[in-house]
Amino acid sequence: MQLRISSSHAITFVGVVLLGSTTGLTVSGCRHRPPSVSLETPPNGGEVCCAVDDVCIVAATGEFRPSLPRAHVVYVAVKPLVTPAVGYFVQQTPATTAGLTWSSAAQLGSAEFPLQEGGRFELRAIIVDVSDGDAPIGPFMNIEAVPGFVVASDSTTIAITLVCEATVMSRLFRFLDDRQNDTTGFLPSFDLHDDLPDDFKAFLVDNPGFLYDNALAALAYFARRGDADVERAGRILDGMLAVQKDTGAFPDAINAVTGQDIPTPDFGTGNQMWAVLALLKGYDFWQTTDPDRAADYLVATEAAAEFVRNQANSEGCGGFVLFPGSTLVSTEHNTDAYAAFSRLADVLAARGDEAAAERFRSAAADARIFVECMFDPATGRSWTGTTNLGLSINTFPVPEDTQTWPLLSLGGAKWTRSLEWLLANLWVTAGSCPTLDGVNVCGPPSSDADTSEVWFEGLAHVWVAAAAADMLGDPRLQECAPEVVLAAVQSAAPHTDGLGIVAACGTLDTGFNFSYFNTPAVAPTAWAILGFRGVNPFWDVPTEGGLSGHPRADAPWVEIDVPPDSQYSCETGDPCVFEVSGRSAGVAGAESLAIRVVINPTDPSAGARFVQASPASVDEQGAWTAAAQLGSQEFPAGNGDRFEVSVIIVDSSAGAVPPAIHSITRAEIPALVATSGILAATAQVAP
C-alpha cells in the first residue's frame, strides 16, 4: 500500500506530551543525552472527524531532543488497527523541522484500508537515519524494523468516530447496511413502494433476497474491508451456508427476513457461481485467522461448484446449461463459471489437492471455450448463448453483460471489441430521466430488446470493465462519466432514497421474460461500490493497471480478420481455396501450440465441421495466416454457398486433432485451448 499525502481534511493536534527516554549516557567522557521524539496528543482523546471512506489527512507535530545529526530525519508512521494486523506504513514525506520542533502530515485511510465510522489508527513519530536512502514505506510489523530506525515516540491512537461529510460511497454502504437482516444476514434485493406494478409489489412482500445480489453485497463489503464491513460480509456468507441444499446448490432467492427459500424455477448456474466467488473471498480472508470458518466456506464452495460441473453440455460449443434440465446455455453464466472454477482450482492446487484442482481447471476451460464461441468476429459483440442444447446460437436479444463481463472474467484484448460495440450500438439516454441534477443520464439498457431506459447496474458494469481495459478516456465515457451519472442517480433519480441506486428510472424490459423497475436495488448499488473502489469482482483484483495485470493475461486467444461483406473469394469451386487471417496472443513462440481453421458448410450442409490440415503461420506479433478450402472435386463449392469459419488454438502435446468434428468442445478435441467465435461467411467463386 502506497500512502500519499494530500491537503484535504487537515486537522491540527494540540497539547504536548513529551515522549521518549531521558536516561543519560556518557560517551568519550562527556554526558550525552540520547535522542528522543514526541508526538503531540490531539484533543478529545484522539478522536477526529473525517468523511467515511474518504482519505483523511491529519496534521501532526512534536518535538525532538537533541538537535538532529546530519542524515537523521523525522517521519510519521501509521498503523491501521485492523484484523489481521498489517503493520506500520511510513509516510513518504519526512517532517519539516524548525529548531527542536517538527511538523508533518499523516494520511489515514487508503484504497486498501478505507476509513469507516469507528475505525482506529495508531500514529508514531520516528527518527530515522537515512544515510543509506529514504525510509521505505512498509508495512513493518515492528516499528524498530524500519531500516535506519533510531527511536520512536509512544503511540497515539486516532479514532474515526464521526461521519462529518456523507460521501457518495458512504451512502452506498449505508444503503446496504440498512437492509441487512440481523438474523439471516441476507439483504432484500429491492425496495417496496406504492408506485410499483401490483404483481411486483406482491412478489416483494416476501422480502426476496436474490443469491446473486447478496453475493455482490458481500463482495462490495470485502472491497472496503473495514472491520464492520467484513463482519457484514461474513453474515451473508454464513447465511448462504445455512440455506445450501444437500445437492450443493443454493436457492436462487431467499426470504431475507425468515431465511426460507422463495420458490423459483431453477438453481441457476450463474447464481451458484457468484456465490462461489463470494465464498472464495471469505475463504481467502479467514484462512489464516479463522481456519475452521474458512474450511467451512471452502467445503460449501466445492459442493456448489460440483453441482454446476454436473450440468455440462456436450453439444455445439459445450459449456454448462442454464439450470438442471435446461436446453439453454448462457454466455453470461459460463463467463461467471470460468472465473469461479479457475479460482477454486487455484485454491485447491495451493492446498495440495491436485486431482480436485484439475477437475475444476478442466471445467473452467470448458466454460471459457463456450464464451469464446459466442464471440461474433464480424461485429465484436458477444451473443446471449445457445438454444437446443447448444446447436443454435441465440442472437436476440443481445444483453449488456455479455459485452462487459467476458473482458473482466477472461481478460484478453479481443474482449475490448465487445465493449466498443456496446458503446457504439447499445448506449442510450434514459427516457424517464434524461438529466438529473444537470447531469446527462446515458448508458446501456439491459439488452437491445428495450432501449428506452438506462440500466444502472449495467452502467456500473461498463465502468468497471472500461477501467480494467484502460478505456475510460473514450469520448462517450467522458461525456457520460459513470461515476458522475451514478452519483446523480443516487441523489436525484425518481424514488431514490438518497443512498442506493435505482435499477432504472422507468420500467425496462430485459427481453428475457422479466423487467427492471424504478426502485432502489442491491445489485446496482453493489456494482457502483465496485466501480468506486476499482475492483474486478471476478478475480478480486484492482481494475487499475489495464489488461496486462489481469490474472489470466497470459491465456492464449485468437481472432479472425473479417473480409468485406464476410465473403471469401476463390478461382474455382473444386475446391474453393482461400486465405484466412487474424491475430492472436500466446501462440507465437509456444512450440506446442498451433492455430487451425475449421470450416462448417451450412448451405448446402455437409453434416460436419472440417479441420484444415495445415496449421497457420504465426509471426512474432501474433498475426497469422492459413489456407482453407470449401468443397472438393466431388462436391465443388458454388458461388454464394454459405459456410461458417472458426479458428481454434490446439496443443499438440494433448493429442491429434480429428479431421472432421461435430462440436467445438474439448470432449471432441482434447487438444483444444481456445477458439475465435464463429463467422458466418459466403463463397465468391469466379465464373
Side-chain angles (χ1 to χ4, degrees), residues 137-224:
I137 295 169
F140 301 97
M141 298 306 294
N142 189 312
I143 195 69
E144 287 83 3
V146 176
F149 173 83
V150 177
V151 69
S153 69
D154 288 344
S155 63
T156 294
T157 300
I158 307 301
I160 308 303
T161 57
L162 300 174
V163 181
C164 303
E165 173 188 348
T167 64
V168 172
M169 178 73 72
S170 67
R171 294 197 300 271
L172 293 172
F173 276 105
R174 188 63 59 84
F175 175 85
L176 300 182
D177 294 349
D178 290 350
R179 277 145 189 81
Q180 186 170 36
N181 184 273
D182 291 338
T183 302
T184 67
F186 290 117
L187 290 70
S189 293
F190 300 97
D191 275 9
L192 173 62
H193 60 75
D194 290 341
D195 293 336
L196 292 169
D198 289 343
D199 56 349
F200 192 57
K201 285 194 291 186
F203 176 66
L204 295 187
V205 168
D206 286 334
N207 301 294
F210 285 97
L211 181 65
Y212 162 73
D213 299 345
N214 278 270
L216 276 176
L219 292 169
Y221 279 126
F222 278 125
R224 191 169 66 169

Side-chain angles (χ1 to χ4, degrees), residues 439-456:
V439 174
N440 293 328
V441 180
C442 48
S446 175
S447 75
D448 60 358
D450 180 356
T451 58
S452 64
E453 301 287 352
V454 172
W455 183 39
F456 295 118

Side-chain angles (χ1 to χ4, degrees), residues 459-474:
L459 179 60
H461 297 167
V462 171
W463 183 10
V464 176
D470 199 20
M471 289 176 59
L472 287 175
D474 184 282

Side-chain angles (χ1 to χ4, degrees), residues 400-401 403-405 407-408 418-420 422-423 426-427 442-445 455-469 471-472 474 476-477 480-482 486 527 531 543:
E400 173 278 325
D401 47 22
Q403 317 315 317
T404 50
W405 287 12
L407 187 152
L408 293 169
S418 297
L419 181 53
E420 290 165 353
L422 179 150
L423 293 172
L426 205 61
W427 196 252
C442 48
W455 183 39
F456 295 118
E457 180 188 335
L459 179 60
H461 297 167
V462 171
W463 183 10
V464 176
M471 289 176 59
L472 287 175
D474 184 282
R476 289 154 295 198
L477 294 175
C480 278
L486 290 169
W527 269 102
T543 54

Side-chain angles (χ1 to χ4, degrees), residues 295-329:
D296 289 343
Y297 290 159
L298 185 58
V299 169
T301 297
E302 193 168 353
E306 188 65 22
F307 173 84
V308 171
R309 198 180 72 86
N310 289 330
Q311 315 308 320
N313 171 53
S314 61
E315 302 296 330
C317 292
F320 299 87
V321 296
L322 200 65
F323 53 86
S326 176
T327 61
L328 305 175
V329 188

